[in-house]
Amino acid sequence: MRYIIIGAGAVGGVIGGRLAHSGHEVVLVARGAHLAALRADGLRLRVPEGELTHRLPAVAGPEELGVLRADDVLVLAVKTQDTEAALAAWGPAPVEGGTTAAESLPLLCAQNGVEGQRRALRRFRHVYGACVWLPATHVEPGVVSAAGTPLTGVLHLGRCPHGTDDTLRRIAADLEGARFEAPVVADVARWQYAKLLSNLANAIEAVSGPLESEAARALYDRVRAEGEAVLDAAGIAYASGREQKEARGDKVTLVPLTGTPRGGGSSWQSLARGTGSIEADHLNGEIVLLGRLHGVATPLNELLQHLANAFAREHRAAGSLPVAELVRLADEAERRAA
């Protein structure tokens, strides 16, 4: 199988680089300065064993590949806010045999949250989801890093909305040969919603920095409790903390990478790179949406969604709002909602 990584940034670049290193055929899809660097110097993947350079085909869109192959696997790794444009571009792409990508190719959504795969199901027939536990960083154009060892990440895989199949098992086998653990599960959404609860901290980190203080961690506990209440009201199951801890174990231990300090998570990186957008609408905003649908107040997640979007829109520095001020705003939001 050939893997086409749509969005070869932090997560996509690491998955693509690891697959290429294990001998698989990989195409990277990127844009702007990152695409230019990939074409000029290859993908530079910084991992615990050193810096690996992979000179792989790099394209901006499907037109550059011509007719796609019947054994292609599309890996959608763009941020959720960029999903619709990616689906619109790749869905109609012709595939040998007279079909289109949307009709015949598997699409694996390697994204935070659950919205990307819901949108994909509107266009693509064969959609798969991944719960992505993969600490990765887009360091600079052409350079991505992943500091996990002995495994690079854990990717629970499943069909969307549920189930498994042989295609998924082949993908999982390829990933497991490329320094990932890739359990194939019939209920991938349980793992994704559990990860969503963790990702509610992304906006806190983005606007106020790492959750290192007691005040920041206490605020996250309140935000997460809001999220759990919403999922419970909606009847949505999610993996327990114990299940997640047992699944991760000590399989992905972060180690320092020379010359590559790890910043924050995906939302923090969006602000630090000045992309002008952030995924808060599909993380905290998912909780806000479900809260409105099921009659549960979500003032803290609504506040974080608003602040993260404002930071991205106004190109404000990541982590520049003091935690004490954020806690004050959160207290006010809860009082107004009471």
Side-chain angles (χ1 to χ4, degrees), residues 204 211 213-224 300 327:
I204 300 175
L211 277 65
S213 69
E214 183 178 338
R217 291 191 293 270
L219 176 59
Y220 166 63
D221 288 343
R222 293 161 61 189
V223 172
R224 181 187 175 98
L300 300 181
V327 171

Side-chain angles (χ1 to χ4, degrees), residues 285 316 337:
R316 295 172 64 180

Side-chain angles (χ1 to χ4, degrees), residues 203-328:
I204 300 175
E205 181 184 57
V207 303
S208 292
L211 277 65
E212 296 174 344
S213 69
E214 183 178 338
R217 291 191 293 270
L219 176 59
Y220 166 63
D221 288 343
R222 293 161 61 189
V223 172
R224 181 187 175 98
E226 207 174 77
E228 290 178 349
V230 164
L231 295 185
D232 292 343
I236 294 173
Y238 50 94
S240 68
R242 181 177 178 179
E243 283 181 280
Q244 294 178 81
K245 185 176 181 179
E246 290 176 352
R248 295 183 192 184
D250 56 359
K251 299 168 187 173
V252 184
T253 299
L254 300 185
V255 298
L257 298 180
T258 302
T260 310
R262 172 163 166 77
S266 56
S267 297
W268 183 93
Q269 291 181 47
S270 291
L271 293 183
R273 291 170 49 222
T275 62
S277 68
I278 200 166
E279 58 191 340
D281 284 345
H282 308 293
L283 300 178
N284 306 89
E286 180 71 21
I287 297 301
V288 172
L289 168 63
L290 290 170
R292 290 169 179 166
L293 290 174
H294 296 280
V296 178
T298 58
L300 300 181
N301 280 281
E302 187 172 350
L303 170 68
L304 289 172
Q305 178 187 8
H306 169 76
L307 286 174
N309 280 324
F311 267 57
R313 186 173 57 251
E314 298 165 10
H315 296 278
R316 295 172 64 180
S320 59
L321 181 69
V323 171
E325 176 62 11
L326 180 57
V327 171
R328 186 189 68 78

Side-chain angles (χ1 to χ4, degrees), residues 83-160:
T83 294
E84 195 61 33
L87 295 173
W90 286 88
V95 178
E96 59 188 12
T99 67
T100 66
E103 293 173 308
S104 62
L105 295 186
L107 176 77
L108 174 65
C109 297
Q111 302 170 292
N112 284 331
V114 296
E115 180 62 20
Q117 60 203 35
R118 285 201 298 238
R119 294 191 180 191
L121 282 166
R122 289 183 170 91
R123 296 176 183 265
F124 278 75
R125 188 172 294 164
H126 306 290
V127 178
Y128 302 88
C131 177
V132 180
W133 289 338
L134 170 51
T137 301
H138 186 160
V139 179
E140 62 185 65
V143 183
V144 298
S145 70
T149 189
L151 295 180
T152 299
V154 178
L155 309 172
H156 283 74
L157 308 178
R159 281 190 64 91
C160 295

